[in-house]
Amino acid sequence: MMALVTGRSRAIHCCFPAPAGSGLSWIHSPPMRPRVFFDFAIGTESVGRVIFELYNDTAPKTAENFRALCTGEKGLSAVSERPLYYKNSIIHRSIRDFMIQGGDFTKRNGTGGESIYGSVFPDEDLTRPLESEGLLCMANKGPNTNGSQFFITLRDCPHLNGKHVVFGRVIRGYDEVVKKFAAVPVDEKDRPQHPIVIVNCGELELKRKAEAPQESNAEIPSRRRHSSRSRSQSSDRDRTPQKKKSKRRKHESNEGGNTDDEVRKQDDEKVPNPRQETEEEYDARLEREEQERLEEAKRRELERIKRKYESTPPAAEGGVRFKGRGRMKFIDPELHHRR
């Protein structure tokens, strides 16, 4: 198998030998699409992670725009002088049984947003239908006005076919996270009354384990010949006991019914083969490591607050702390007349 990494979108193409008689030398498999994630919170409560798969094969420019806005790798915008980054932006529109919309990181109300290309960019693939829930689509103000705003479908939307570019789909977190947004109460303009925030976002990359270098078959016999040659250089005094020991071991192995090949085969079977990590296990491990990182940051913050309050001087007697000017004491105006 041959792997080719091409393009900015890190797509991996695999090539396999074609079957005999087909007239082809290689068969190309579909590219591995990029995956990005959003970590959402409703108010101050974390609700989980949503993972998207981007269709960079049918909408490469749109998928690259969304991917770069997830990583924030483009830095500050030359137009708005704001980071080209979805982090800390909000879901500004939510319609039950229809869609949720976000991506306005400049004005946060649905009237802003900006692409990595400096302005709006044209539509790409309008042939893919909006035929199911969990599709990732570009929001626009008309033909060829794509920026940074997007929406996720909560059902099929056939009336939007040919009007919005479908450039991805939710592959994890739809039932656990996205459906919770529809339960958040909204005002008369479909704006959530509790902020739905993208607290973190980025790109997931498949990690491949490095394969251990295997010895060639030509090296193994040469090593055996070298070891046998070194053994032959021993003295005659040591050779006789060694022969007796080898005959005794051979006799014991024959009595047990195990030949040298069988013993070698059993030793090979004892060595565990390295297991490749699947994509699902890799995604779960990334999510677990991110959760551990957040918990560690929270623990450090709590320790900092604890040290801060421990260093604060103790309160006065009776648990009352006097601050500023004046006395914290009630004065009865009938007993204390003005002089």
Side-chain angles (χ1 to χ4, degrees):
M1 184 182 71
M2 181 183 298
L4 303 175
V5 181
T6 61
R8 178 64 179 167
S9 58
R10 302 176 176 85
I12 299 177
H13 300 262
C14 296
C15 304
F16 300 90
S22 61
L24 301 174
S25 58
W26 295 92
I27 295 178
H28 295 267
S29 67
M32 184 177 295
R33 293 166 170 166
R35 295 183 178 186
V36 294
F37 70 92
F38 284 165
D39 289 334
F40 283 101
I42 300 177
T44 59
E45 180 184 358
S46 176
V47 292
R49 171 171 292 188
V50 178
I51 299 178
F52 305 94
E53 181 185 59
L54 305 182
Y55 300 154
N56 63 330
D57 49 345
T58 58
K61 194 170 183 179
T62 309
E64 174 61 18
N65 177 68
F66 190 83
R67 187 200 64 80
L69 291 175
C70 288
T71 61
E73 62 190 50
K74 299 299 182 179
L76 293 177
S77 166
V79 179
S80 63
E81 296 183 353
R82 297 198 178 193
L84 295 168
Y85 202 10
Y86 281 138
K87 186 176 181 178
N88 296 325
S89 64
I90 62 171
I91 299 297
H92 61 267
R93 189 182 183 198
S94 176
I95 303 178
R96 185 186 293 271
D97 297 327
F98 179 30
M99 62 90 182
I100 60 169
Q101 184 173 340
D104 183 0
F105 54 83
T106 59
K107 297 184 178 180
R108 300 167 67 90
N109 59 6
T111 62
E114 188 178 348
S115 73
I116 64 173
Y117 307 114
S119 61
V120 296
F121 61 96
D123 299 325
E124 285 188 293
D125 180 22
L126 294 174
T127 60
R128 191 184 293 270
L130 285 74
E131 58 186 359
S132 64
E133 59 185 12
L135 295 179
L136 183 61
C137 314
M138 288 300 293
N140 56 44
K141 300 177 182 179
N144 303 317
T145 57
N146 299 290
S148 62
Q149 293 191 40
F150 62 88
F151 65 91
I152 303 172
T153 60
L154 302 180
R155 62 171 177 83
D156 58 326
C157 307
H159 60 286
L160 299 180
N161 289 343
K163 299 178 181 179
H164 296 269
V165 177
V166 181
F167 66 97
R169 65 185 180 98
V170 177
I171 61 174
R172 181 174 299 179
Y174 181 81
D175 294 330
E176 302 86 351
V177 181
V178 177
K179 284 188 175 180
K180 291 182 180 179
F181 302 155
V184 177
V186 297
D187 59 13
E188 63 278 2
K189 293 185 179 180
D190 299 319
R191 295 177 298 193
Q193 295 182 354
H194 304 288
I196 304 174
V197 186
I198 302 174
V199 296
N200 194 20
C201 55
E203 181 181 11
L204 299 175
E205 295 185 4
L206 183 61
K207 184 177 180 182
R208 299 183 181 275
K209 292 184 177 180
E211 296 181 356
Q214 297 180 356
E215 297 179 349
S216 61
N217 295 330
E219 294 178 356
I220 297 176
S222 62
R223 183 177 299 178
R224 291 176 181 172
R225 287 195 299 269
H226 177 73
S227 60
S228 61
R229 190 181 301 113
S230 62
R231 287 196 302 268
S232 64
Q233 294 175 359
S234 60
S235 61
D236 295 338
R237 182 184 56 187
D238 298 335
R239 187 178 302 167
T240 304
Q242 185 69 20
K243 288 183 178 181
K244 293 181 180 180
K245 291 181 180 179
S246 62
K247 289 181 179 180
R248 188 182 301 111
R249 283 197 299 267
K250 184 176 181 181
H251 180 68
E252 291 175 354
S253 62
N254 291 333
E255 290 179 353
N258 294 327
T259 62
D260 293 342
D261 295 337
E262 293 177 352
V263 173
R264 192 180 300 110
K265 184 178 180 181
Q266 292 176 1
D267 294 339
D268 295 338
E269 291 177 353
K270 292 179 182 179
V271 179
N273 293 326
R275 179 176 174 271
Q276 294 291 338
E277 189 177 30
T278 63
E279 294 184 16
E280 290 75 10
E281 292 174 344
Y282 174 68
D283 294 341
R285 181 171 60 81
L286 283 181
E287 188 171 354
R288 184 174 62 256
E289 291 176 354
E290 180 69 16
Q291 187 66 25
E292 292 174 355
R293 185 187 66 80
L294 294 176
E295 291 177 357
E296 180 64 20
K298 182 178 179 182
R299 185 186 63 80
R300 289 196 300 267
E301 180 66 16
L302 291 175
E303 290 179 355
R304 185 189 67 81
I305 296 173
K306 182 179 178 181
R307 289 193 300 268
K308 177 181 176 182
Y309 279 94
E310 287 178 351
S311 62
T312 305
E317 296 181 359
V320 180
R321 182 177 298 168
F322 295 92
K323 299 177 66 177
R325 296 168 52 184
R327 298 179 299 174
M328 296 182 63
K329 182 178 180 182
F330 176 72
I331 300 177
D332 191 347
E334 295 181 358
L335 300 178
H336 297 78
H337 299 284
R338 292 184 179 178
R339 295 180 180 179

